[in-house]
Amino acid sequence: MSVLKLYEYPSPILREKCEKVSVFDDELRILLDNMLETMYVDKGCGLAAPQVGITKRIIVVDPNPSDDDLSARQPMHLINPEIIWHSEETVLFKEGCLSLPEQRADVERYERVRVHYIDYDGNEQEILADDILSIILQHEIDHLDGILYIDHLSQLKRSRLLKKLEKYYNEEKHKKVE
Ligand code: CO
């Protein structure tokens, strides 16, 4: 398994609409394995293919990506995921994204969603997700349509967050030069 290069905001690839997967082969499964590995190494609980430069409808998630207890992990690979139902109720949750490092903001999401997808072995699956898994799935499926969580914020909150992100990037660059 290998760790893939992560694309960060404002990379244009994060804004592309991804294509459905139609070929289920070893190459796809290697990509799924590498995406999961990348997600764990970068300490995320979800990762979408465009974040590693691939515009295909693929996400990996783990609501419990613990490093201390590997047996507690709950990895999921979802190919062509689609939200086929959502609750009327919504919840606020503080979200982050590996493509916008070190930033977080409250986002309103549906409390529960039902997602149809194809799994690692090519089988059709459906899951009714609540709690944090519901939020992760909505965040990651958004990525496949070029939508980032900051798009759900007010303009004021978004521009504040992007200013902080820019500051973070500048400090990081500074560190690398030293
Ligand atoms: Co994200």
Side-chain angles (χ1 to χ4, degrees), residues 7-175:
Y7 287 70
E8 293 180 341
Y9 183 93
S11 174
I13 202 153
L14 297 173
R15 292 309 194 176
E16 283 190 35
K17 192 166 166 66
C18 299
E19 283 169 28
K20 271 197 169 181
V21 173
S22 52
V23 181
F24 296 83
D25 56 6
D26 283 345
E27 203 182 317
L28 175 69
R29 283 181 284 274
I30 289 168
L31 173 62
L32 287 166
D33 292 342
N34 289 341
M35 280 176 62
L36 200 65
E37 177 78 1
T38 306
M39 185 192 83
Y40 286 132
V41 166
D42 289 317
K43 308 218 178 295
C45 52
L47 186 71
Q51 294 182 276
V52 291
I54 291 158
T55 51
K56 293 216 167 114
R57 302 191 78 82
I58 302 167
I59 63 175
V60 293
V61 307
D62 189 336
N64 195 15
S66 165
D67 274 340
D68 308 327
D69 180 9
L70 299 188
S71 67
R73 285 182 173 178
Q74 297 170 289
M76 285 177 72
H77 314 81
L78 298 93
I79 303 155
N80 301 338
E82 212 182 317
I83 295 172
I84 53 172
W85 173 86
H86 64 77
S87 64
E88 292 302 318
E89 301 85 359
T90 59
V91 282
L92 272 184
F93 189 84
K94 208 172 268 302
E95 294 185 25
C97 180
L98 293 177
S99 294
L100 293 104
E102 300 292 316
Q103 312 305 316
R104 297 184 92 75
D106 276 328
V107 180
E108 188 176 14
R109 299 283 186 185
Y110 300 119
E111 190 175 21
R112 282 167 292 138
V113 289
R114 187 181 288 279
V115 174
H116 178 266
Y117 65 98
I118 298 171
D119 69 15
Y120 191 89
D121 301 309
N123 299 313
E124 296 209 24
Q125 300 283 356
E126 239 178 68
I127 183 171
L128 178 61
D130 61 5
D131 210 9
I132 186 157
L133 181 59
S134 169
I135 288 154
I136 301 169
L137 288 172
Q138 291 171 76
H139 175 118
E140 301 308 331
I141 292 172
D142 263 359
H143 271 299
L144 305 180
D145 292 312
I147 299 167
L148 302 172
Y149 78 91
I150 52 170
D151 301 337
H152 295 286
L153 305 177
S154 68
Q155 211 179 336
L156 182 68
K157 283 187 180 160
R158 180 164 58 243
S159 61
R160 271 192 202 144
L161 187 147
L162 290 175
K163 258 184 213 144
K164 279 198 281 170
L165 180 64
E166 205 174 314
K167 195 168 162 235
Y168 171 78
Y169 285 154
N170 286 333
E171 285 166 2
E172 283 298 293
K173 251 188 242 152
H174 192 65
K175 265 188 226 157

